[in-house]
Amino acid sequence: MSRIAYVNGQYVPFASARVHIEDRGYQLADGVYEVIAVWDGRPIDLLPHLRRLGRSLAESRLEWPVGERTLRTVLLLLVERNYVRNGMIYIQISRGIYKRNFLFPPKEVRSTLVVTAHSHSRLASAALFEQGVSVITLNDLRWQRCDIKSISLLPNVLSRQVASERGAFEAWLLGSDGTITEGTSSTAWIVTNSGHVITRPLSPAILGGITRERVLCLAKLLGLIVLERPFTLEDAQHAAEAFLTSTTTFILPVVTLNGRQIKNGIPGAVTRLLRTAYLSSLTSGAAMGW
Ligand code: PMP
């Protein structure tokens, strides 16, 4: 079963899909991206993801390479042609191919669009949920526009590697004021001993997670008290529960933080409730965004 990818208007075999060495994404990380989960053959929250992509493009002064309708067609075709039931779609747009220069290339240079879709057997893994994950904290070394989903991910890569080398699943990043901003590729949450669900408010310090929006909405529907406020490492260490959210993991309990158990080190009841609600919102069609 050979995979196919989409590169600048063409469907090509995945194995031979290429962009030029002078692509600005390759040379300057001058581009943005988006990741969309596919669940039971359908993209989840397609509209919010495309809206966020539009925002990342606008904030980066990049143009849409194709119309939104065309992009949707490409995504759906790739899901179908790559036989993806559960998996993900990856979209990357860079400022095109031109001789290396920090200045924008001339107007006629078209941005580069690459789209892939692949199956992911551990998408929203139930086994990983039951086990829970370990997180360590590291200083947040990133830039001041983390709200843009930029392909410039070196600090995220370095931090995630350190986390892995220390046996952790994710690193939560500490801002200079001692609060936790977010994970290298996930949103950070805690549940206080009084049952309040807490996550940081939107700002340029974090990526506005699409899963975050869905979980905030579900938590409110479930009657939970939700507070969008920053929290510290100490708050997290003394929390009743902690969890992380992202497109590919949905909701995962954080059971140890810097090697210390959170409460009794097992997935918490609120986290479980939210995961159940999240999964049923997908099958009820509420999160499809068609
Ligand atoms: N923060 C960062 C830095 C991320 O890379 C991601 C993953 N895209 C998230 C948060 C979670 O966002 P989403 O729920 O849209 O996947």
Side-chain angles (χ1 to χ4, degrees):
M1 207 160 60
S2 56
R3 290 181 58 193
I4 58 161
Y6 175 94
V7 184
N8 284 333
Q10 292 192 315
Y11 295 96
V12 290
F14 182 82
S16 57
R18 299 276 182 276
V19 291
H20 193 268
I21 55 168
E22 283 197 317
D23 187 87
R24 290 176 65 95
Y26 176 67
Q27 290 198 324
L28 303 167
D30 185 5
V32 299
Y33 74 108
E34 197 54 53
V35 177
I36 304 170
V38 178
W39 188 252
D40 208 14
R42 295 207 227 167
I44 296 171
D45 284 334
L46 184 55
L47 280 182
H49 279 284
L50 292 181
R51 214 174 295 137
R52 182 170 70 183
L53 179 60
R55 183 175 182 280
S56 294
L57 287 168
E59 294 295 318
S60 310
R61 299 173 62 188
L62 279 157
E63 304 285 336
W64 280 97
V66 291
E68 208 178 306
R69 191 184 283 258
T70 306
L71 183 55
R72 270 166 170 262
T73 308
V74 171
L75 306 184
L76 297 177
L77 198 133
L78 282 183
V79 167
E80 200 183 304
R81 293 278 300 275
N82 289 290
Y83 307 99
V84 181
R85 296 265 2 126
N86 288 347
M88 54 202 258
I89 300 165
Y90 179 79
I91 307 167
Q92 179 173 315
I93 299 166
S94 76
R95 210 180 306 275
I97 298 159
Y98 201 64
K99 58 178 183 284
R100 190 179 181 281
N101 187 333
F102 284 2
L103 294 177
F104 289 179
K107 280 263 173 291
E108 58 276 14
V109 173
R110 299 288 305 272
S111 50
T112 300
L113 170 62
V114 172
V115 188
T116 58
H118 68 269
S119 299
H120 182 15
S121 59
R122 273 164 64 91
L123 185 85
S125 159
L128 196 55
F129 181 91
E130 293 307 331
Q131 210 178 301
V133 296
S134 312
V135 164
I136 59 164
T137 53
L138 294 172
N139 287 337
D140 194 341
L141 302 174
R142 301 172 306 157
W143 69 327
Q144 291 170 22
R145 289 303 310 272
C146 297
D147 55 319
I148 299 173
K149 203 162 167 60
S150 161
I151 59 171
S152 173
L153 291 166
L154 184 57
N156 308 56
V157 167
L158 294 175
S159 303
R160 175 66 73 77
Q161 183 61 26
V162 171
S164 173
E165 285 164 4
R166 296 190 193 163
F169 178 83
E170 173 64 300
W172 278 3
L173 305 172
L174 285 168
S176 51
D177 64 352
T179 61
I180 289 167
T181 53
E182 60 181 338
T184 64
S185 65
S186 57
T187 304
W189 304 70
I190 56 170
V191 181
T192 64
N193 288 294
S194 42
H196 296 171
V197 178
I198 299 185
T199 196
R200 198 183 174 92
L202 294 181
S203 78
I206 62 167
L207 181 76
I210 304 300
T211 324
R212 175 188 180 279
E213 286 310 310
R214 176 75 37 195
V215 170
L216 279 177
C217 179
L218 290 169
K220 288 174 194 162
L221 283 174
L222 289 165
L224 297 167
I225 295 174
V226 181
L227 303 172
E228 290 181 63
R229 67 157 174 84
F231 61 88
T232 62
L233 170 58
E234 217 195 328
D235 293 333
Q237 278 167 332
H238 296 114
E241 301 177 30
F243 62 94
L244 57 85
T245 59
S246 77
T247 292
T248 50
T249 60
F250 296 1
I251 301 175
L252 276 181
V254 175
V255 293
T256 69
L257 185 56
N258 289 342
R260 282 170 49 180
Q261 282 190 352
I262 292 179
K263 267 292 182 281
N264 49 10
I266 58 167
V270 173
T271 310
R272 192 176 291 279
L273 188 66
L274 287 169
R275 176 174 155 103
T276 308
Y278 192 88
L279 288 173
S280 57
S281 76
L282 302 187
T283 43
S284 70
M288 293 307 177
W290 291 95

